[in-house]
Amino acid sequence: MTFDGMWADLHPVGRDARSGGYRRFAWTGEDAALREWFTGEAGARGLELTADRAGNLWAWWGDPDADGPGLVLGSHLDSVPDGGAFDGPLGVVSALAAVDALRARGWTPGRPLGIAVFADEEGARFGVACAGSRIITGALDPDRARSLTDADGTTVAEAMAAAGLDPHHVGPDAEALRRVGAFVELHVEQGRALVDDPGGPPVGVASAIWPHGRWRLDLRGRADHAGTTRLADRDDPMLHLAEAVIAARRAAGEHDALATIGKLRVEPNGVNAIPSRVTAWLDARGPAEADVRSVVAAVGAAAGTEPVEESWTGATAFDAGLRDRLAGLLAAPVLPTGAGHDAGILSAAGIPTAMLFVRNPTGVSHSPQEHADPEDCHRGVDALARVVEELG
Ligand code: GLV
Ligand code: MN
Ligand code: MN
């Protein structure tokens, strides 16, 4: 299967030899290599490549302006820090392999077929997840998008310009969206539903994405000497962080939600200095928005600061007709997820959207342990090809 060759090509790109995880961040050299790889794969198949106003890539088989709207497959190629190989690339490589499989059996599309690669899905560098799909749908203001900064203070505008894009062009893109009649994103499963069903099918269909968001906690204190400052005289923001971490765990348990503080910035970050400032990022999700909001409020109260909302995505139910049709076609179970996806952003913008999940034997994601067996990846490609035959 052509899947294996593409998978091998991507293996070294952005891989950290020490952890075995991937560091593929938006608008970096690794990102450029991945975009170049996709451009090459699209060209080799005679697909017409375009970039939209957020730098998302679209490769078309057929003309979506003349004969659209079309059916679009795809996902993203960027990663979280030390992410797995599958979150994102599995959907892109599977889409290309599905095209190859369909062509090998002489199938031609009844309507244009596209493959999309969304930019900066993880928000690992600039903080806002699904930035590419949010920009083109208008869910992320272009001025805010351009001015987001990474840990070094580089703005999105500067990073995009360095990558050869015109940041002034960034904004909602009705033309790109008009071409999309339906979107199907195949993704590695990021939980245990499929693997915990021994003998069950390797592919599931998504029902919904939980409401979720990211908040920043700005904790201020006073830098001082670790060896000479009496405990009573300290103003140590790290103590507020500790309260926040414990509160996040406790409130999540109480509200049937999930909460994580996984990213920190400590200033000045010296072992023998009381910090002057701690910045922490809270990720909170759950089946019900009210519970997620309660968790965030509890964390803010424990930390003694008002959490600053950096992004929010409401509950997303995927198109029910499409979901049932694909679940029936593939005899696949229907699963909710707590993970965010570009498919969710497009769905919220009114595009009929579905997701397929491929079994993950470790149940682990956003980690080098994330996995899918080659046979399951191939069955995912088969499932995607069947979906295209059904919808295309
Ligand atoms: C994206 O992977 C997210 O849900 O954080
Ligand atoms: Mn992810
Ligand atoms: Mn993903």
Side-chain angles (χ1 to χ4, degrees):
M1 182 175 271
T2 60
F3 180 96
D4 298 341
M6 288 187 274
W7 201 252
D9 289 344
L10 288 183
H11 177 78
V13 185
R15 188 165 185 273
D16 183 83
R18 198 173 47 88
S19 68
Y22 287 89
R23 297 181 156 261
R24 296 166 166 170
F25 305 140
W27 312 121
T28 59
E30 289 77 16
D31 195 40
L34 292 161
R35 293 165 68 84
E36 199 178 310
W37 168 84
F38 181 70
T39 301
E41 294 296 325
R45 289 166 177 80
L47 308 178
E48 187 77 30
L49 193 86
T50 61
D52 65 24
R53 294 188 63 197
N56 305 308
L57 299 175
W58 305 79
W60 283 102
W61 179 5
D63 182 348
D65 294 319
D67 306 318
L71 170 64
V72 180
L73 314 176
S75 191
H76 61 98
L77 294 172
D78 63 310
S79 79
V80 297
D82 277 343
F86 296 81
D87 178 355
L90 185 64
V92 176
V93 172
S94 297
L96 290 162
V99 165
D100 294 342
L102 289 162
R103 284 180 169 175
R105 45 190 197 247
W107 183 88
T108 52
R111 57 171 164 162
L113 180 65
I115 302 178
V117 173
F118 285 99
D120 198 6
E121 194 271 353
E122 299 288 5
R125 182 175 176 194
F126 296 104
V128 175
C130 299
S133 56
R134 282 188 213 269
I135 290 169
I136 59 166
T137 57
L140 176 58
D141 175 75
D143 285 332
R144 176 162 179 241
R146 275 187 282 267
S147 61
L148 292 168
T149 53
D150 68 9
D152 298 327
T154 303
T155 63
V156 165
E158 289 163 347
M160 286 180 89
L165 284 93
D166 178 2
H168 300 105
H169 191 55
V170 165
D173 196 332
E175 197 183 335
L177 294 172
R178 213 175 15 248
R179 298 174 178 145
V180 188
F183 178 65
V184 180
E185 179 169 0
L186 178 146
H187 205 276
V188 68
E189 197 201 349
Q190 298 177 284
R192 305 201 52 93
L194 294 171
V195 72
D196 282 350
D197 179 18
V203 175
V205 172
S207 57
I209 297 178
W210 287 355
H212 59 282
R214 296 179 180 185
W215 290 262
R216 194 183 69 244
L217 304 174
D218 293 312
L219 308 171
R220 308 287 171 89
R222 195 187 67 249
D224 212 332
H225 195 294
T228 60
T229 317
R230 290 181 304 205
L231 293 179
D233 293 340
R234 295 179 181 214
D235 181 5
D236 183 352
M238 200 61 97
L239 295 179
H240 300 298
L241 172 71
E243 300 279 1
V245 172
I246 298 297
R249 177 64 181 239
R250 185 174 299 133
E254 286 166 5
H255 290 278
D256 191 23
L258 298 173
T260 307
I261 293 179
K263 179 175 170 179
L264 292 179
R265 190 184 306 142
V266 180
E267 295 164 53
N269 210 22
V271 67
N272 54 356
I274 296 161
S276 58
R277 187 171 174 150
V278 174
T279 310
W281 282 267
L282 168 70
D283 177 307
R285 317 178 184 218
E289 173 170 346
D291 285 312
V292 177
R293 299 277 180 199
S294 297
V295 170
V296 176
V299 173
T305 187
E306 185 64 35
V308 179
E309 186 171 292
E310 293 202 334
S311 64
W312 171 254
T313 308
T316 309
F318 289 112
D319 185 275
L322 202 50
R323 174 199 68 202
D324 292 345
R325 197 165 158 198
L326 300 193
L329 176 76
L330 303 172
V334 174
L335 318 168
T337 179
H341 300 283
D342 296 302
I345 304 298
L346 296 191
S347 180
I351 293 173
T353 298
M355 290 191 75
L356 304 184
F357 292 133
V358 173
R359 178 165 55 199
N360 175 348
T362 65
V364 174
S365 187
H366 284 183
S367 149
Q369 267 93 53
E370 179 183 275
H371 191 65
D373 288 333
E375 313 79 67
D376 285 354
C377 294
H378 297 169
R379 289 171 75 182
V381 173
D382 292 342
L384 200 55
R386 288 183 66 197
V387 167
V388 173
E389 284 175 321
E390 172 79 7
L391 303 178

